[in-house]
Amino acid sequence: MNENNPNEPLRGALIGCGFFARNQLHAWQDLTGVALVAVCDRELERAERFGREFGIPGIFSDVEAMFAQCPLDFVDIAAPTPAHAALVEAAAHHGVDIICQKPFAGSLETARRLINLCEARGVSLTIHENFRWQHAIRDVVRLVDKGEIGRPFFGRVSYRSGFDVFANQPYLAELPRFIIQDLGIHVLDIARALFGDVAHLSCETDRINPAIKGEDTATIMLRHDAGTTCVVDCSYATTLAEDPFPQSLIEIDGASGSLRLGRDFVLERHRPGGGKERRDLTPDWPAWSEQPWSVIQESVVNLQRDWAECRRAGRAAATHGADNFNTLSLVEAAYRSAETGQTVVPQRWR
Ligand SMILES: NC(=O)c1ccc[n+]([C@@H]2O[C@H](COP(=O)([O-])OP(=O)(O)OC[C@H]3O[C@@H](n4cnc5c(N)ncnc54)[C@H](O)[C@@H]3O)[C@@H](O)[C@H]2O)c1
């Protein structure tokens, strides 16, 4: 990890100026101690547009030119997954810390190689896995960690919607692997944040929308090391009059109480003997956020704030590469289970 003068802002560059990157740029602008000094997109006009809109001086269409001309502390990679490996390699080669969007690699072999490379080059690798950073989800994780409902023996993390995600991200319709790889990865990561690593899992998938290539529903049953059984279920084929998009709903049964995180961030805590508390966990949304995306946008600010604090403190962020390997491996295991009809033991980091 590079050393910095604590009085100087961290100098960052955003690579990939597409649909989601706008949230990352807004979030960086909300944070003190970080200055985005360059943007890079292989389509120059996209970099120019973001540069103008966010007042960022360095505009590039080629990362090597950017590294040659801009002294950087970190890069924030928001290009699509097939571009990640080459971009991570380039940043690691230049000794620059890395934040990379999910899924950070197209295979576990590539993920392993990139983590090892970053370690060997002494740069930090953090995956932009933001769902566990949602305000309400962090509260639920905290309650479980503090043992407020005793040992959790059952969990359900559920994301069901009919929202047209293909309008903003048309490439999703072309992916042979869709919902587990794109969305389920977040929901599986929430399950890991709540209940820890997974001993084995099984998975069923289906494709309801005939206009897309990949699966748009998945039901995954996880057995966590600590003994919790958890169901992760995702759908982009669910018709609901009041669509909760893009909220993740959570049910947890513990030995001494239960939690239900419902729509609109209402958390119910059920106590033994019949008592029930209700709390509204709606946070203050970022000023630039827009419904229905606010819950995601707020989590981006939280993740990036934590990353900057960890960077300054010289410690790894929560979703560092090796941690996220164990989330990515759940995605691989889920596809293998769906293909083979068998229970699968996911790979672990080391
Ligand atoms: N965390 C989340 O909640 C979330 C949500 C949406 C997308 N994502 C992730 O963000 C990433 C980008 O998704 P998107 O929907 O914004 O994609 P997008 O296609 O809208 O944008 C990607 C941009 O990267 C550029 N690009 C591609 N290869 C490049 C390269 N080698 N160098 C520089 N620029 C390059 C493209 O020209 C494009 O402008 C994906 O990994 C996706 O999974 C995450």
Side-chain angles (χ1 to χ4, degrees), residues 15-21 24 40-43 46 63 78-81 83-84 87 101-103 128 130-131 168-169 171 182 186 296:
I15 305 175
C17 303
F19 164 67
F20 201 74
Q24 293 164 233
C40 176
D41 196 292
R42 62 179 185 188
E43 293 185 31
R46 291 183 176 214
V63 281
T81 300
H84 289 173
L87 294 170
Q101 264 295 348
K102 49 52 71 172
H128 186 113
N130 51 318
F131 273 39
N168 285 314
Q169 296 168 276
Y171 65 89
D182 184 68
H186 293 300
I296 305 299

Side-chain angles (χ1 to χ4, degrees), residues 1-2 72-73 90-97 121-123:
M1 204 175 279
N2 301 322
L72 293 170
D73 297 307
H93 176 74
H94 289 280
V96 171
D97 287 336
R121 303 293 303 197
V123 301

Side-chain angles (χ1 to χ4, degrees), residues 192 195-202 221-228 330 333 343-348:
R192 280 191 62 239
F195 309 123
D197 273 321
V198 172
H200 55 256
L201 64 76
S202 59
M221 190 167 87
L222 313 161
R223 176 75 176 186
H224 292 260
D225 291 349
T228 313
L330 299 184
T343 297
V344 174
V345 175
Q347 282 189 38
R348 294 283 176 91

Side-chain angles (χ1 to χ4, degrees), residues 109-298:
E109 293 67 35
T110 305
R112 233 176 241 289
R113 185 169 58 73
L114 296 178
I115 296 166
N116 285 328
L117 172 71
C118 290
E119 196 180 306
R121 303 293 303 197
V123 301
S124 69
L125 172 64
T126 303
I127 310 311
H128 186 113
E129 176 43 77
N130 51 318
F131 273 39
R132 64 161 76 181
W133 282 102
Q134 293 171 29
H135 177 84
I137 290 173
R138 286 170 69 204
D139 264 24
V140 176
V141 170
R142 232 177 270 132
L143 288 170
V144 172
D145 282 353
K146 277 165 58 189
E148 299 270 336
I149 56 163
R151 184 176 86 77
F153 60 87
F154 175 82
R156 178 177 176 208
V157 192
S158 180
Y159 184 108
R160 313 193 73 77
S161 169
F163 188 86
D164 179 11
V165 282
F166 310 105
N168 285 314
Q169 296 168 276
Y171 65 89
L172 294 177
E174 300 302 319
L175 297 176
R177 289 175 162 194
F178 166 43
I179 200 165
I180 304 174
Q181 181 175 279
D182 184 68
L183 181 273
I185 191 168
H186 293 300
V187 190
L188 288 163
D189 191 68
I190 294 173
R192 280 191 62 239
L194 285 165
F195 309 123
D197 273 321
V198 172
H200 55 256
L201 64 76
S202 59
C203 173
E204 301 288 343
T205 61
D206 204 347
R207 178 164 59 87
I208 309 304
N209 179 348
I212 68 169
K213 295 217 168 96
E215 83 291 351
D216 52 6
T217 77
T219 307
I220 307 168
M221 190 167 87
L222 313 161
R223 176 75 176 186
H224 292 260
D225 291 349
T228 313
T229 300
C230 180
V231 176
V232 161
D233 59 292
C234 317
S235 165
Y236 271 128
T238 298
T239 307
L240 290 167
E242 284 138 20
D243 196 310
F245 177 86
Q247 296 170 40
S248 306
L249 310 183
I250 298 179
E251 299 175 13
I252 306 173
D253 296 355
S256 53
S258 301
L259 298 171
R260 298 289 183 269
L261 178 65
R263 273 161 193 267
D264 301 326
F265 319 105
V266 173
L267 179 69
E268 287 184 355
R269 179 170 171 189
H270 301 253
R271 292 184 185 275
K276 179 171 99 173
E277 288 158 22
R278 262 177 135 242
R279 274 201 294 149
D280 179 354
L281 297 182
T282 308
D284 292 332
W285 303 125
W288 49 270
S289 74
E290 285 173 284
Q291 294 295 358
W293 305 99
S294 305
V295 60
I296 305 299
Q297 291 164 326
E298 188 253 356

